[in-house]
Amino acid sequence: MTSRRFKSRAVLRVIEAGSFAECAYCGELVKFQAKTRQLQVICNVYVKGRWDRVEHYHERCYHEADEPYGTPLAAA
């Protein structure tokens, strides 16, 4: 049986009501705002092929950080 090695990836998602997380780039909250439809980048981070953590970014911050986990996939 061959083992799968996963690698880190990023997806672009709408910020949902009631959710909040700290941006891995600027340290500020990635939070829902009712009057604007803002996007966030959510990254599954793998270390040596094993899942390690999830990182959240403001969309703007992810691009300023030079897309550390690649170009984010669009929201489905």
Side-chain angles (χ1 to χ4, degrees):
M1 176 186 268
T2 47
S3 63
R4 289 175 59 180
R5 271 189 87 90
F6 294 98
K7 62 184 219 176
S8 301
R9 61 192 183 278
V11 294
L12 190 61
R13 296 283 187 259
V14 173
I15 300 172
E16 300 284 335
S19 66
F20 65 93
E22 190 174 295
C23 177
Y25 183 73
C26 73
E28 294 182 16
L29 287 180
V30 177
K31 58 185 177 183
F32 175 78
Q33 293 179 351
K35 294 186 181 194
T36 61
R37 184 177 177 194
Q38 296 188 332
L39 298 173
Q40 66 176 322
V41 177
I42 302 172
C43 304
N44 279 308
V45 180
Y46 290 80
V47 176
K48 296 182 180 176
R50 296 191 62 169
W51 182 84
D52 187 60
R53 65 190 178 278
V54 173
E55 291 183 358
H56 295 258
Y57 293 83
H58 298 102
E59 182 182 21
R60 168 191 84 253
C61 289
Y62 189 74
H63 296 297
E64 287 178 14
D66 294 327
E67 299 182 349
Y69 303 108
T71 302
L73 299 174

